[in-house]
Amino acid sequence: MNTSNTQATAGLVFTSGRDLDIVEAANHAAGCIEALGHRVTGTHVLSDTRARVITDQIELVLWTEEDVSFAALPEPAGVFLSVRLALRGEARLTRFTRDSIIARTLQKLHELLAPDFVKWIGTDVLLPAADFARAVGLTPSRTAVQGPVRPRRVTSRSSLPDIEETNDTLQRRFSDQDPAIFSNATAPDRLRKVFTEDWIDPDLLAEQAAAEAQARDLEDIETTAPLRLSAWLISFAVALFALPIGVTLLILNLAKGENLRLASQTAALTGTFLALQSFGTMASAMTVLKGLVS
C-alpha cells in the first residue's frame, strides 16, 4: 500500500480578479472532509486570504494568491485558490486517500466558485473547468454563479489555438505527468468511487473497526487490585487441574492484563469436563454435543 507524508497542493485558477470569501470556502471544505468520514477538530481563519481546516490526521490550508504565473497561461492568473494538504505528526495516509480528500474538496469548491481552470497535484497542467465538471458529474445548472469581478487592465493577448486541439494536448500532458494515477488499469474505477455521494474511505473504516475491537478487549481488563488478584488465583487453580490451559491463562494475564471474566469462564469449562471425566460420562457428553452440532 503506497503511503505519502509529503505536502500535496492543487487548486482553482481564476483568469480574472475575484473577491473570494475565504470563510465560506473554509466552511465548505470542512463539510466536505466530514462527509468523507474524517472528524474536523478545528477551522481557523488566519487572514482574509488564508484559512486552515484541521482533523486528527491532516491539515488542509486554503490560500488565495493574486497574479500567479502558470506555464499553460499566456498571462498571470488573476487569483489562484490553492488547496494544500499536509499530514499531522506521525499520521500516514495512502496516496489514494490523500488524493481523494483533495479531489472531493476541489469538487465542492468548483461547484461553489465556478473557476476557469483546475490545477491538479504535482503538475503544471490546467484542466479546463468544463472538463473537470464533466469528470465529476456536475452540470451547468449546479455550477454556482461567479462572484463579483474586479476589473484588470486590458493588455493584448496572443491568439489561442483551437479549443479541441488544446483540450487534447492538455489531456495528454496531464496523463503523462501523473503516471501514479493513470498507469493503473483500475484508476478510472477508483476515481469514480471518490465522487460517489456516500463514499467513505475504506482505510478509515478499517482503522475505526480496529479501534473498536481494541476498546472491547480493554473493557474486560481489570484495573483494581482485588479483581486482578482474583484473576491470578483462578488461573493458578486451573493450572493445578489442567496444566496447559492454566499456563495459557497465566501467559494471557502477563501479555494483555488480568481478564477475570475469561479466567472464570475457563475455570467453569475446565471443571465441567473434569467432572464428566471423573464420572465416566465424557464419551456420552461428546456424543450429545456432536449430535447437536451436526
Side-chain angles (χ1 to χ4, degrees), residues 39 64 93 127 292 294:
R39 185 174 65 89
T64 60
L93 294 178
L127 189 65
L292 292 176
S294 61

Side-chain angles (χ1 to χ4, degrees), residues 159-170:
S159 59
L160 295 176
D162 180 70
I163 185 63
E164 295 296 336
E165 179 184 352
T166 303
N167 180 61
D168 293 339
T169 302
L170 291 176

Side-chain angles (χ1 to χ4, degrees), residues 35-36 104 107 142 192-200:
L36 291 175
R104 292 297 294 270
Q107 177 190 12
R142 295 174 58 190
R192 201 171 292 114
K193 292 179 181 178
V194 175
F195 293 103
T196 57
E197 292 296 332
D198 299 327
W199 185 86
I200 297 179

Side-chain angles (χ1 to χ4, degrees), residues 80 154-155 217:
F80 175 54
V154 179
T155 57
D217 292 339

Side-chain angles (χ1 to χ4, degrees), residues 200-280:
I200 297 179
D201 181 12
D203 295 330
L204 184 62
L205 291 178
E207 292 178 2
Q208 292 176 349
E212 291 175 359
Q214 184 178 7
R216 286 194 298 270
D217 292 339
L218 293 177
E219 288 179 357
D220 295 332
I221 302 302
E222 306 299 343
T223 57
T224 59
L227 296 179
R228 295 177 62 188
L229 180 60
S230 299
W232 279 106
L233 291 177
I234 293 176
S235 300
F236 281 118
V238 172
L240 293 177
F241 297 98
L243 184 60
I245 299 176
V247 171
T248 303
L249 275 179
L250 294 174
I251 294 175
L252 289 176
N253 288 341
L254 291 173
K256 293 188 174 183
E258 295 80 0
N259 191 331
L260 182 59
R261 186 174 68 172
L262 176 62
S264 301
Q265 292 173 345
T266 305
L269 289 174
T270 303
T272 300
F273 283 104
L274 288 176
L276 292 174
Q277 186 176 7
S278 300
F279 289 101

Side-chain angles (χ1 to χ4, degrees), residues 4 37 81 178-179 187 203 213 294:
S4 176
L81 175 60
D178 201 355
D203 295 330
S294 61

Side-chain angles (χ1 to χ4, degrees), residues 16-20 145-151:
S16 302
R18 288 283 297 275
D19 289 326
L20 301 180
V145 179
Q146 294 188 1
V149 178
R150 296 198 306 270

